[in-house]
Amino acid sequence: MRGGTTLLVDVGSTFTKAALVDDDGVLVGRTSAPTTAGPGRDVLDGVAAAHHALTEVARAPVPDPLSRQAAEEGRVLVCSSAGGGLRLAVVGYERSVTAEAGHRVGLSAGARVVHVAAGALTSAGTAALRADRPDVVLLVGGTDGGNAEVLVHNARRLARSRLPAPVVVAGNVEAQDEVVAELAATGRRVTATENVLPRIGVVHPGPARRAIREVFLRHVIGGKGLSRGPRFARLVRAATPDAVLAGVEVLADVRDEDVLVVDVGGATTDVYSVVTPQGEDASLRKQVVAPLWHARTVEGDLGMRWGAPGVLAAAATEGVPGADDPALAAWAERAHADPGVLPADDHGRTLDLRLATLAALVAARRHGRPGAPGEAPRPLKEVGLLLGSGGVLRHAAPDEAGAVLRTVLSDHGGGWTPPAAAQARVDTAYLLFAAGLLAGPRPDLARAVAGQLAPDRDGTGPGSLG
């Protein structure tokens, strides 16, 4: 259907962001509104407010997000990280093998991994798992045809625990029937899929990632008490980080080069990379758990507001200059105590940007470093585009945002290999999530939207810093 528009909405815990694109992928308008999540509140109020604000500024019809017809026609696509997003626990066999593979797959599925258990679950281990309140448990263990004893034992423990979370089983396929039977015997909600580690050195993320997404949509969104009635659960297509990673994949394909994204948020700093390994990086002969070339890491201690003191602590541990500045420490404590605070003057904006620089730098180091002893750093040297995201970068002046990203690109002492010749840009229009939401149902439109994030090679165009 030509001549129409599509509404893309990201419902965050604090703000709901909306973008309107036409059928050529051109951004028609964008806006944001408070999400209003909380006791007695409804996230659909924030969605409706963002829709109303968009109708005031867009010179085109805006599909109604509360219209079932618009949703069924694919004219409204929504992702969400409200209510803490997707909290995932990984229960595996060996911490350095299947548990680590499950952890990496969980992050790529848009989850925040809140618990990792390795080996045979005990009563204490089950209690610790329950205390971390996961929304979904990813149960893994053993390569195909390998050890099945621990996987079956853990399924039996989970089946008899007081943990209400649904379980995705992605372990040794030869034990799958027995594992599912153990869980189903006590009425557990269980989804079985292919092994995340079918053999040593091979991580197979796709099926588990899809299964986690389906469980998130079917069981988690509707169970968080974010909205009255089933309408919001019907609207949501993905966890926001899952949509963003899909958007990064589209962007890398459009540009035909490796892409690195640093998203500096209030609670976490997330780093995404889509790379094509070359030469020795592609062989992985020395790695027990191969890296994911389309990957995301989440740094829960590196947020601009809730996690602000953690940024300074992490930067001090890394030996980054300036982490012990008393003025910056005072600003971090204020931001932690009042997450809604915004800088009121140039001095405050300078402090906020310094905090963002430290968060981006430490998060990029952690993303790029080896995942385990004996592994190689993530191959990021050939990355052609470093894209910054997050409100602090979107609202900064181009030279200020550029300085943050250039600090990341010039970091040669952090135990990783930074991109050697990457362009630095900012997703000023906040379109990565939109491209990701469109990637499945409307791939051509997704590519057109992502193209607006890919500035011309001379550095001009949307998202450029110069």
Side-chain angles (χ1 to χ4, degrees):
M1 180 169 59
R2 301 287 298 178
T5 57
T6 301
L7 177 65
L8 297 313
V9 183
D10 170 23
V11 181
S13 293
T14 306
F15 287 97
T16 293
K17 285 79 68 177
L20 185 71
V21 299
D22 65 19
D23 281 343
D24 293 319
V26 176
L27 179 67
V28 178
R30 58 186 175 91
T31 189
S32 66
T35 295
T36 68
R41 312 294 288 275
D42 195 315
V43 292
L44 285 179
D45 296 340
V47 174
H51 172 258
H52 176 74
L54 203 50
T55 61
E56 297 290 311
V57 298
R59 297 181 178 178
V62 184
D64 182 358
L66 304 186
S67 163
R68 189 163 190 166
Q69 180 180 351
E72 290 175 349
E73 292 177 349
R75 290 294 179 180
V76 177
L77 300 173
V78 180
C79 59
S80 175
S81 59
L86 170 56
R87 297 170 59 86
L88 183 77
V90 178
V91 177
Y93 177 33
E94 294 180 0
R95 183 169 295 275
S96 63
V97 187
T98 50
E100 175 62 21
H103 186 193
R104 297 182 188 184
V105 169
L107 290 175
S108 78
R112 180 180 179 186
V113 179
V114 297
H115 187 97
V116 177
L121 279 174
T122 62
S123 297
T126 304
L129 171 62
R130 188 169 60 249
D132 283 332
R133 300 178 292 105
D135 296 316
V136 179
V137 175
L138 176 61
L139 178 59
V140 297
T143 55
D144 289 343
N147 181 285
E149 181 180 346
V150 173
L151 179 63
V152 174
H153 168 88
N154 287 343
R156 192 173 294 124
R157 278 280 186 180
L158 290 173
R160 288 155 179 76
S161 71
R162 299 192 307 275
L163 186 70
V167 179
V168 172
V169 178
N172 184 344
V173 294
E174 293 191 7
Q176 191 174 93
D177 289 345
E178 185 177 0
V179 168
V180 170
E182 289 283 355
L183 292 163
T186 57
R188 293 290 169 181
R189 294 168 292 176
V190 56
T191 300
T193 189
E194 298 171 39
N195 196 348
V196 299
L197 193 75
R199 59 185 186 276
I200 293 295
V202 176
V203 182
H204 185 44
R209 178 176 169 180
R210 288 189 292 272
I212 292 169
R213 182 188 304 125
E214 288 303 313
V215 170
F216 172 72
L217 298 178
R218 189 165 65 248
H219 297 299
V220 178
I221 281 291
K224 283 183 173 285
L226 300 172
S227 179
R228 297 177 293 274
R231 187 178 294 175
F232 181 65
R234 287 199 302 263
L235 279 175
V236 175
R237 302 294 185 95
T240 298
D242 190 23
V244 173
L245 180 56
V248 180
E249 291 171 339
V250 175
L251 177 60
D253 185 54
V254 167
R255 289 184 66 90
D256 192 26
E257 65 181 354
D258 295 350
V259 173
L260 178 67
V261 175
V262 179
D263 185 359
V264 185
T268 68
T269 295
D270 298 356
V271 183
Y272 304 79
S273 61
V274 173
V275 300
T276 302
Q278 305 290 336
E280 293 183 0
D281 292 325
S283 67
L284 304 173
R285 286 191 297 267
K286 298 180 181 179
Q287 300 199 23
V288 175
V289 180
L292 296 182
W293 304 124
H294 297 190
R296 163 181 170 257
T297 51
V298 180
E299 306 304 339
D301 60 335
L302 302 179
M304 291 291 294
R305 293 298 179 259
W306 293 272
V311 174
L312 299 188
T317 299
E318 296 275 341
V320 180
D324 57 351
D325 181 358
L328 189 56
W331 173 251
E333 289 296 337
R334 183 182 174 192
H336 172 70
D338 179 13
V341 68
L342 294 173
D345 53 28
D346 288 343
H347 180 62
R349 283 187 286 275
T350 297
L351 291 174
D352 218 31
L353 284 163
R354 286 177 60 193
L355 191 64
T357 301
L358 295 178
L361 181 63
V362 175
R365 285 181 174 186
R366 291 177 179 176
H367 184 84
R369 284 174 180 155
E375 293 186 2
R378 199 181 299 274
L380 302 174
K381 184 178 181 180
E382 302 303 321
V383 163
L385 174 67
L386 170 63
L387 191 68
S389 186
V392 65
L393 297 180
R394 286 197 298 275
H395 298 132
D399 60 330
E400 295 171 334
V404 173
L405 299 179
R406 284 190 290 273
T407 298
V408 173
L409 292 175
S410 61
D411 178 43
H412 294 282
W416 68 302
T417 303
Q423 291 182 310
R425 301 289 179 261
V426 173
D427 180 10
T428 54
Y430 191 56
L431 288 177
L432 271 176
F433 88 95
L437 278 173
L438 290 163
R442 305 184 70 182
D444 290 344
L445 191 57
R447 290 179 60 83
V449 170
Q452 297 176 69
L453 289 164
D456 298 333
R457 297 295 175 174
D458 63 2
T460 62
S464 67
L465 294 174

